[in-house]
Amino acid sequence: MAPSLMILGVFVAFPTFQSFWYSLHDWTIGAAEQPWVGWGNYRHIAADPRFWGALLHTVEITAVSVVFIVVIGMLLATALSGEGIGSRAIRSIFFFPTVVSLTAVGLAFRFLLDPDIGLASGLAQGLGLQPIRLLSSTQWALPTIIAVSVWKSVGFAMIVLVAGIKGIPRELYEAARIDGAGSVAITRYVTIPALRPTTMFVTLMLTIQSLQIFDLVYVMTAGGPLFSTDTLVTKLIRDGFVQFKAGEAAAISWVLLLLIAIVTAIQLRYFRYNDAD
Amino acid sequence: MLATSRWTFLSIGLVLALVPFIWTVGASFRPESDLFGHPERLVPTEWTLHGYRQIWEQLPFFRLVLNTILFAGVTTTLTVVFDSMCAYALARLTFRGRTLCFWLVLATLMVPFQTTLIPVFEELYHLGWLNTYQGLIVPRATSAFGIFLFRQFFMSVPRELDEAARIDGAGHFRIYSRIILPLSKPAIATVALLNFTALWNDLLWPLVVSSSPEKRTLPAGLALFAGTHVTDHAVLMAGAVISLLPIALAFFMAQRYFVAGISTAGLK
C-alpha cells in the first residue's frame, strides 16, 4: 500500500494544494523568487477576453456534445441491447472509436476534412458544392470539433447504457406487455425511466471528460483559427508551458477544478438521493 | 415500419463509425496524386508503401514505438502491482487511518489531472527527472480508479479463504500473492487493459514531460510532427494507423474486459 499512497500523495494530493499556492503568486518555474500577488492572477484572467473565450468554448463543446452523445447513445443502446451475435458485433464497432487514440483520430479527421485531399470535400464536389475549409474557418472549426467529439464518445454512452438496460428487471417489461404496451411505449414508459441513474451517470462522466478536452483540439486546430477553438486546457498549457506564466496557468487549473467539483457534487448528491429512494 | 427505421438508423451509424477508419487506412497507402485526383474514393486506385517507408526516415520512429511500449508497459505493470497491494490493505487489513487512506484515494480520483500538471512538472524539474523515463513513468504508476476497482473485487472474495491460510501460518504477503491475486484475474485484466490503453494513447503527459525526440511517445511524436511540417499526409496517416494497431488488436481479443471495466465504473 505504501507505494500507491506515496505516489498519490507526492504526485496528486500535494500538487493539488501546491497549484493553488502557485495561483496566488507570480510563479515562474525554477525561479529563485516567486512574488506573492494574492488574487492578482484570478483578477488578471477575469480581465482577459481570451480566458472567457476559452471558458465559453469549453462549456459549448461540453453542453452540445454531451446532449448529442447521450441521445444518440440511448438510441443505439435501445436498438442494440440484444444478446445476439449481430447486436454484439455491431456494438463493438460503435464502441471501437472510444478506445483508440484521440491523436490518431484527430489526425485522421484533419486529413479527412482537408479541402484538397479529404473525403469530405470529394463528396461535396460530387454533390456540386464548394468544399468548405471547415478547420480554418472561425465559424465552422468549433462545430467540427464538437462533431468529432460526438463521433468518438457515442460508443461509450451506448456501452454503459446497454449494461444499464440489462439490469432492468424482466418483470417490468412483461407487465408492460400484458398491459398492451407497444415497443415505443415500452421504451418511453419502462426503459427510459428505469435507466435514469445510468443516464445521469453517463451524462456526468462525459461532462467531466469534456471539460478537460485537449487532445482533439491540439491536433486538429491547436486552438485556432484566431483562438476560435481555444479551450481551458489548451490555454492552460499555452500559458504554463509556452509563455511560462505558471501562476496564471495554475489559476486556470483551479477554475477547471472548481467546475469539475461542481459536477462531482451534483453526481454525489444525485446518487445519495437515489440510494435513499 | 419500426424495424425498417431501426435498420436505416443503424446502417447510417455503421457507415459513419467505420468510414473514417477505412479512409485513413486507405489514405496511408495512397500517393498524393491519387488523393488529389480522387478525394471521394475510399479504396486507393494506386497503392504505395511510401508513407510507411518515409516514416522511418522522417521520424525517429523505432524509438517512438519503443518508448511507447516502455512507457505504457512498465507503467501498467507497476500500476497493477501497486494498486492491488494498496487495495488488499484497504479491503483486508484493519489499521488506524484506513478510512482516511480510502478517502484520500477517492478524493484524488476527483482532481483533474491538469490541476496537478504544473506543480508535478516543477517537482520533476527539481528531481532532475524531466525528459527521463522515470519522470514519465513514476508519477503515473498508480491510479485511484484501479485501487477502487481492485478493492471492490477483493471485498467479494470470501474471507474464509485468508483465515484458513492464516491458520496454516501464511503472512499477509503470502495471502495476497498466493490466494487473492490468482483469484483476481478478471480484475487484473480489466485494470491492466484500461491503463495500458489510456497510457498508450496519452498525449498531454508525454508532451509535457519529454522534450527531446529520444524520449517522446508515439502520440506526442506524431502530434509535434504534424504541427511542424504537415507536408506529407501519407507519413502521418501511416503513423496514425501504426499507433492504432496494438489497441485495435487488444480490443478485438479482449473486448469483454474493456466493457467490464467501463460498466463497473458505470454501475458503481
Short mmCIF file of all heavy atoms in Angstrom, two decimals, chain B residues 131-159:
data_model
loop_
_atom_site.label_atom_id
_atom_site.label_comp_id
_atom_site.label_asym_id
_atom_site.label_seq_id
_atom_site.Cartn_x
_atom_site.Cartn_y
_atom_site.Cartn_z
N ASN B 131 12.27 14.84 -18.95
CA ASN B 131 12.84 14.18 -20.11
C ASN B 131 13.60 12.88 -19.76
O ASN B 131 14.61 12.57 -20.38
CB ASN B 131 13.77 15.16 -20.85
CG ASN B 131 13.89 14.81 -22.31
OD1 ASN B 131 12.98 14.24 -22.89
ND2 ASN B 131 15.04 15.12 -22.89
N THR B 132 13.11 12.16 -18.74
CA THR B 132 13.68 10.86 -18.43
C THR B 132 12.55 9.84 -18.36
O THR B 132 11.39 10.20 -18.24
CB THR B 132 14.38 10.84 -17.05
OG1 THR B 132 13.37 11.05 -16.04
CG2 THR B 132 15.46 11.89 -16.92
N TYR B 133 12.93 8.55 -18.43
CA TYR B 133 11.91 7.50 -18.33
C TYR B 133 11.27 7.49 -16.95
O TYR B 133 10.07 7.32 -16.82
CB TYR B 133 12.50 6.13 -18.65
CG TYR B 133 12.84 5.97 -20.10
CD1 TYR B 133 14.14 5.73 -20.52
CD2 TYR B 133 11.84 6.06 -21.06
CE1 TYR B 133 14.44 5.59 -21.86
CE2 TYR B 133 12.13 5.93 -22.40
CZ TYR B 133 13.43 5.69 -22.80
OH TYR B 133 13.73 5.56 -24.13
N GLN B 134 12.08 7.66 -15.89
CA GLN B 134 11.46 7.62 -14.55
C GLN B 134 10.48 8.78 -14.37
O GLN B 134 9.45 8.63 -13.72
CB GLN B 134 12.49 7.54 -13.42
CG GLN B 134 13.37 8.76 -13.21
CD GLN B 134 14.67 8.64 -14.01
OE1 GLN B 134 14.68 8.09 -15.12
NE2 GLN B 134 15.77 9.16 -13.48
N GLY B 135 10.80 9.93 -14.98
CA GLY B 135 9.89 11.06 -14.91
C GLY B 135 8.57 10.76 -15.60
O GLY B 135 7.50 11.16 -15.14
N LEU B 136 8.64 10.06 -16.74
CA LEU B 136 7.42 9.68 -17.46
C LEU B 136 6.61 8.67 -16.66
O LEU B 136 5.39 8.74 -16.60
CB LEU B 136 7.80 9.03 -18.80
CG LEU B 136 7.85 9.88 -20.06
CD1 LEU B 136 8.33 9.02 -21.22
CD2 LEU B 136 6.47 10.44 -20.39
N ILE B 137 7.32 7.70 -16.06
CA ILE B 137 6.65 6.52 -15.50
C ILE B 137 6.18 6.71 -14.07
O ILE B 137 5.00 6.49 -13.76
CB ILE B 137 7.58 5.29 -15.61
CG1 ILE B 137 7.74 4.91 -17.08
CG2 ILE B 137 7.04 4.12 -14.80
CD1 ILE B 137 8.81 3.90 -17.36
N VAL B 138 7.08 7.10 -13.15
CA VAL B 138 6.77 7.06 -11.72
C VAL B 138 5.49 7.83 -11.33
O VAL B 138 4.63 7.27 -10.66
CB VAL B 138 7.98 7.51 -10.87
CG1 VAL B 138 7.62 7.58 -9.39
CG2 VAL B 138 9.15 6.56 -11.08
N PRO B 139 5.32 9.10 -11.79
CA PRO B 139 4.12 9.80 -11.35
C PRO B 139 2.82 9.15 -11.82
O PRO B 139 1.76 9.39 -11.25
CB PRO B 139 4.27 11.19 -11.98
CG PRO B 139 5.72 11.34 -12.21
CD PRO B 139 6.22 9.97 -12.56
N ARG B 140 2.89 8.32 -12.87
CA ARG B 140 1.66 7.70 -13.37
C ARG B 140 1.52 6.25 -12.91
O ARG B 140 0.64 5.54 -13.37
CB ARG B 140 1.65 7.72 -14.92
CG ARG B 140 1.82 9.07 -15.53
CD ARG B 140 0.76 10.07 -15.10
NE ARG B 140 -0.59 9.68 -15.48
CZ ARG B 140 -1.11 9.90 -16.68
NH1 ARG B 140 -0.41 10.50 -17.61
NH2 ARG B 140 -2.34 9.54 -16.96
N ALA B 141 2.41 5.79 -12.00
CA ALA B 141 2.48 4.36 -11.70
C ALA B 141 1.45 3.88 -10.69
O ALA B 141 1.59 2.80 -10.12
CB ALA B 141 3.88 3.97 -11.24
N THR B 142 0.41 4.65 -10.46
CA THR B 142 -0.69 4.15 -9.65
C THR B 142 -1.93 4.91 -10.10
O THR B 142 -1.83 6.02 -10.62
CB THR B 142 -0.43 4.35 -8.15
OG1 THR B 142 -1.36 3.58 -7.40
CG2 THR B 142 -0.56 5.81 -7.75
N SER B 143 -3.09 4.28 -9.97
CA SER B 143 -4.30 5.01 -10.35
C SER B 143 -5.37 4.77 -9.30
O SER B 143 -5.60 3.64 -8.87
CB SER B 143 -4.79 4.58 -11.72
OG SER B 143 -5.53 3.39 -11.63
N ALA B 144 -5.98 5.86 -8.86
CA ALA B 144 -7.02 5.75 -7.84
C ALA B 144 -8.16 4.86 -8.32
O ALA B 144 -8.71 4.07 -7.56
CB ALA B 144 -7.54 7.14 -7.49
N PHE B 145 -8.46 4.95 -9.63
CA PHE B 145 -9.53 4.13 -10.16
C PHE B 145 -9.19 2.64 -10.05
O PHE B 145 -10.04 1.81 -9.69
CB PHE B 145 -9.81 4.50 -11.62
CG PHE B 145 -10.86 3.64 -12.25
CD1 PHE B 145 -12.18 3.73 -11.82
CD2 PHE B 145 -10.53 2.72 -13.22
CE1 PHE B 145 -13.15 2.92 -12.38
CE2 PHE B 145 -11.51 1.90 -13.77
CZ PHE B 145 -12.82 2.00 -13.36
N GLY B 146 -7.93 2.29 -10.32
CA GLY B 146 -7.50 0.90 -10.20
C GLY B 146 -7.63 0.40 -8.77
O GLY B 146 -8.11 -0.71 -8.52
N ILE B 147 -7.21 1.23 -7.80
CA ILE B 147 -7.31 0.84 -6.39
C ILE B 147 -8.78 0.58 -6.05
O ILE B 147 -9.13 -0.42 -5.43
CB ILE B 147 -6.75 1.97 -5.48
CG1 ILE B 147 -5.26 2.18 -5.76
CG2 ILE B 147 -6.99 1.64 -4.00
CD1 ILE B 147 -4.66 3.36 -5.03
N PHE B 148 -9.63 1.48 -6.51
CA PHE B 148 -11.06 1.38 -6.24
C PHE B 148 -11.62 0.07 -6.82
O PHE B 148 -12.30 -0.70 -6.14
CB PHE B 148 -11.75 2.59 -6.86
CG PHE B 148 -13.20 2.69 -6.54
CD1 PHE B 148 -13.61 2.99 -5.26
CD2 PHE B 148 -14.14 2.47 -7.52
CE1 PHE B 148 -14.96 3.08 -4.96
CE2 PHE B 148 -15.49 2.55 -7.23
CZ PHE B 148 -15.90 2.85 -5.94
N LEU B 149 -11.27 -0.19 -8.08
CA LEU B 149 -11.79 -1.39 -8.75
C LEU B 149 -11.29 -2.67 -8.08
O LEU B 149 -12.06 -3.60 -7.83
CB LEU B 149 -11.36 -1.34 -10.22
CG LEU B 149 -12.24 -2.12 -11.19
CD1 LEU B 149 -12.46 -1.29 -12.45
CD2 LEU B 149 -11.59 -3.43 -11.56
N PHE B 150 -9.99 -2.71 -7.75
CA PHE B 150 -9.45 -3.89 -7.06
C PHE B 150 -10.11 -4.08 -5.70
O PHE B 150 -10.44 -5.18 -5.31
CB PHE B 150 -7.94 -3.74 -6.85
CG PHE B 150 -7.11 -4.23 -7.99
CD1 PHE B 150 -6.20 -3.39 -8.63
CD2 PHE B 150 -7.20 -5.55 -8.44
CE1 PHE B 150 -5.44 -3.85 -9.70
CE2 PHE B 150 -6.43 -6.02 -9.50
CZ PHE B 150 -5.55 -5.16 -10.12
N ARG B 151 -10.33 -2.95 -4.97
CA ARG B 151 -10.93 -3.06 -3.65
C ARG B 151 -12.32 -3.67 -3.75
O ARG B 151 -12.66 -4.59 -3.00
CB ARG B 151 -10.99 -1.68 -2.99
CG ARG B 151 -11.60 -1.72 -1.60
CD ARG B 151 -11.65 -0.33 -0.98
NE ARG B 151 -12.42 -0.34 0.25
CZ ARG B 151 -13.73 -0.15 0.30
NH1 ARG B 151 -14.40 0.05 -0.82
NH2 ARG B 151 -14.37 -0.16 1.46
N GLN B 152 -13.12 -3.18 -4.70
CA GLN B 152 -14.47 -3.73 -4.86
C GLN B 152 -14.38 -5.23 -5.12
O GLN B 152 -15.14 -6.02 -4.59
CB GLN B 152 -15.20 -3.07 -6.03
CG GLN B 152 -15.40 -1.58 -5.93
CD GLN B 152 -16.08 -1.17 -4.66
OE1 GLN B 152 -15.42 -0.88 -3.65
NE2 GLN B 152 -17.40 -1.15 -4.66
N PHE B 153 -13.42 -5.62 -5.95
CA PHE B 153 -13.29 -7.04 -6.30
C PHE B 153 -12.85 -7.87 -5.10
O PHE B 153 -13.40 -8.93 -4.82
CB PHE B 153 -12.29 -7.18 -7.45
CG PHE B 153 -12.34 -8.53 -8.09
CD1 PHE B 153 -13.21 -8.78 -9.15
CD2 PHE B 153 -11.52 -9.56 -7.64
CE1 PHE B 153 -13.27 -10.04 -9.73
CE2 PHE B 153 -11.56 -10.82 -8.23
CZ PHE B 153 -12.44 -11.05 -9.28
N PHE B 154 -11.85 -7.37 -4.37
CA PHE B 154 -11.31 -8.12 -3.21
C PHE B 154 -12.37 -8.29 -2.13
O PHE B 154 -12.39 -9.30 -1.43
CB PHE B 154 -10.09 -7.41 -2.60
CG PHE B 154 -8.88 -7.41 -3.49
CD1 PHE B 154 -7.78 -6.60 -3.20
CD2 PHE B 154 -8.82 -8.22 -4.63
CE1 PHE B 154 -6.67 -6.58 -4.02
CE2 PHE B 154 -7.70 -8.20 -5.45
CZ PHE B 154 -6.63 -7.37 -5.15
N MET B 155 -13.26 -7.28 -1.98
CA MET B 155 -14.30 -7.37 -0.96
C MET B 155 -15.20 -8.57 -1.22
O MET B 155 -15.82 -9.10 -0.30
CB MET B 155 -15.16 -6.09 -0.95
CG MET B 155 -14.41 -4.83 -0.64
SD MET B 155 -13.97 -4.64 1.07
CE MET B 155 -15.19 -3.44 1.56
N SER B 156 -15.30 -8.97 -2.50
CA SER B 156 -16.20 -10.08 -2.83
C SER B 156 -15.53 -11.45 -2.67
O SER B 156 -16.19 -12.47 -2.78
CB SER B 156 -16.72 -9.91 -4.26
OG SER B 156 -15.66 -10.12 -5.16
N VAL B 157 -14.21 -11.47 -2.41
CA VAL B 157 -13.53 -12.75 -2.20
C VAL B 157 -13.82 -13.20 -0.75
O VAL B 157 -13.60 -12.42 0.18
CB VAL B 157 -12.01 -12.62 -2.42
CG1 VAL B 157 -11.28 -13.94 -2.13
CG2 VAL B 157 -11.71 -12.16 -3.84
N PRO B 158 -14.32 -14.45 -0.55
CA PRO B 158 -14.69 -14.88 0.80
C PRO B 158 -13.52 -14.79 1.78
O PRO B 158 -12.40 -15.20 1.46
CB PRO B 158 -15.12 -16.34 0.63
CG PRO B 158 -15.26 -16.55 -0.83
CD PRO B 158 -14.54 -15.49 -1.55
N ARG B 159 -13.81 -14.26 2.97
CA ARG B 159 -12.79 -14.09 3.99
C ARG B 159 -12.28 -15.41 4.55
O ARG B 159 -11.16 -15.49 5.05
CB ARG B 159 -13.33 -13.25 5.14
CG ARG B 159 -13.13 -11.77 4.89
CD ARG B 159 -13.64 -10.93 6.02
NE ARG B 159 -13.44 -9.52 5.66
CZ ARG B 159 -12.32 -8.87 5.92
NH1 ARG B 159 -11.34 -9.44 6.58
NH2 ARG B 159 -12.17 -7.62 5.54
#
